[in-house]
Amino acid sequence: EVQLVESGGGLVQPGSSLKLSCVASGFTFSSYNMHWIRQAPKKGLEWIALIYYDSSNKYYADSVKGRFTISRDNSKNTLYLEMNSLRSEDTAMYYCAKAATGAWYFDYWGQGVMVTVSS
Amino acid sequence: DIVMTQTPSSQAVSAGEKVTMSCKSSQSLLYSENKKNYLAWYQQKPGQSPKLLISWASTRESGVPDRFIGSGSGTDFTLTISSVQAEDLAVYYCEQYYDTPFTFGSGTKLEIK
C-alpha cells in the first residue's frame, strides 16, 4: 500500500524558513517523480514543485520560484520542501504527491501538513 | 500558463440523480503524437486529501466506481456521475498535466439534497 506521510509544518513568522518532509513507503520511491501541491484555507489546489526520480530536473511555480527548494533523499525514501522568506500567502496545507508512471498526474497524495505564516 | 475553468462552482442534487460538471482549458490538452488528453479529475471529500478518479480524460482509476465517467477532448471535458450517492459529497477538481505549471480548475462542489 502506497503511503506518503508529511511532517514539519507549523506556525512561523513572515520572513522565516521551514522545511517539510514526506516519507514514502509501499513503492520504489527512487523510481518515481514526486510533487508538492498546496491548498490555502477554503481555497483550491496549487501545484508548486516537481522533482524527477533522480533529482536531475526540478520545476517550480512562479509563486515560489527562488524561495522554495524541492529535494529528495532516495536512500531515506524522503521528499523535502525547503521554504524560505515565507509570506502570509504561503499559509496552506501542503501535500506531497507521487507522479504516475509515465505521466505527471498525481496518483497518490499524502494527508497533508499545515503551514501557517503569521506574526 | 494553461487556465482551467470549471463550471458550475457548486451543484446540489438528490441521490440517484445524474450530474455533469464541465472543465475547459485555455489551450488544447490533446497531444498529437499519442492522441492522449492530458487531463485528470480528482475528488476531495471534506477533511481529506484529494483522490485521483480519472486520468487521460476518461480512464477510471482502479477501484473507482463505474458511475464516474470522464469524457471530452481538446479543450472541453466533462465529469459525469451517473447516479449520485450520498458518499459522493465532495469537491471535484480537474487538472491539466500537459505542461508546467500544472494547473487545476477552481473546483465544483457537489452537495446532496
Side-chain angles (χ1 to χ4, degrees):
Chain A
E1 178 195 6
V2 171
Q3 285 201 329
L4 299 167
V5 180
E6 301 95 335
S7 62
L11 172 62
V12 295
Q13 292 193 334
S16 61
S17 300
L18 202 60
K19 188 171 184 176
L20 306 182
S21 300
C22 169
V23 176
S25 61
F27 65 103
T28 305
F29 180 73
S30 58
S31 298
Y32 287 90
N33 305 319
M34 295 293 294
H35 300 270
W36 285 99
I37 298 146
R38 69 183 180 184
Q39 186 171 34
K42 304 295 186 185
K43 299 294 185 183
L45 299 163
E46 179 190 16
W47 170 84
I48 56 172
L50 157 68
I51 186 169
Y52 277 33
Y53 67 99
D54 60 355
S55 302
S56 59
N57 284 287
K58 303 175 185 181
Y59 298 91
Y60 298 92
D62 285 347
S63 59
V64 305
K65 199 174 295 180
R67 299 188 300 124
F68 289 12
T69 302
I70 189 171
S71 62
R72 64 192 296 161
D73 185 338
N74 286 343
S75 69
K76 295 182 178 179
N77 286 354
T78 303
L79 175 72
Y80 301 101
L81 184 68
E82 186 158 12
M83 304 183 292
N84 297 318
S85 302
L86 282 162
R87 306 166 180 167
S88 58
E89 54 263 38
D90 296 319
T91 294
M93 184 72 79
Y94 285 74
Y95 298 100
C96 67
K98 172 185 167 292
T101 303
W104 299 123
Y105 63 88
F106 323 113
D107 60 355
Y108 290 94
W109 298 61
Q111 85 287 351
V113 62
M114 189 67 199
V115 174
T116 302
V117 184
S118 175
S119 55
Chain B
D1 297 2
I2 299 175
V3 176
M4 306 298 291
T5 302
Q6 283 187 252
T7 56
S9 57
S10 65
Q11 198 164 4
V13 299
S14 299
E17 287 187 1
K18 176 182 173 180
V19 64
T20 61
M21 55 194 77
S22 170
C23 174
K24 296 184 187 293
S25 57
S26 61
Q27 65 184 73
S28 178
L29 304 182
L30 179 62
Y31 187 45
S32 57
E33 291 197 13
N34 60 12
K35 301 292 189 285
K36 287 187 170 184
N37 286 282
Y38 284 57
L39 187 283
W41 288 96
Y42 301 87
Q43 175 193 61
Q44 187 175 32
K45 294 183 176 181
Q48 297 185 16
S49 54
K51 171 189 172 184
L52 175 66
L53 292 178
I54 288 169
S55 58
W56 306 115
S58 60
T59 301
R60 202 179 301 116
E61 290 300 296
S62 174
V64 173
D66 59 8
R67 64 180 180 273
F68 291 92
I69 302 161
S71 62
S73 185
T75 61
D76 293 302
F77 302 91
T78 299
L79 176 66
T80 300
I81 309 175
S82 60
S83 177
V84 169
Q85 305 298 305
E87 63 261 31
D88 299 336
L89 167 73
V91 179
Y92 293 85
Y93 294 95
C94 61
E95 177 251 340
Q96 67 80 18
Y97 50 98
Y98 186 92
D99 195 13
T100 59
F102 309 117
T103 48
F104 294 87
S106 56
T108 293
K109 184 176 183 179
L110 182 64
E111 297 171 314
I112 312 299
K113 289 179 186 175

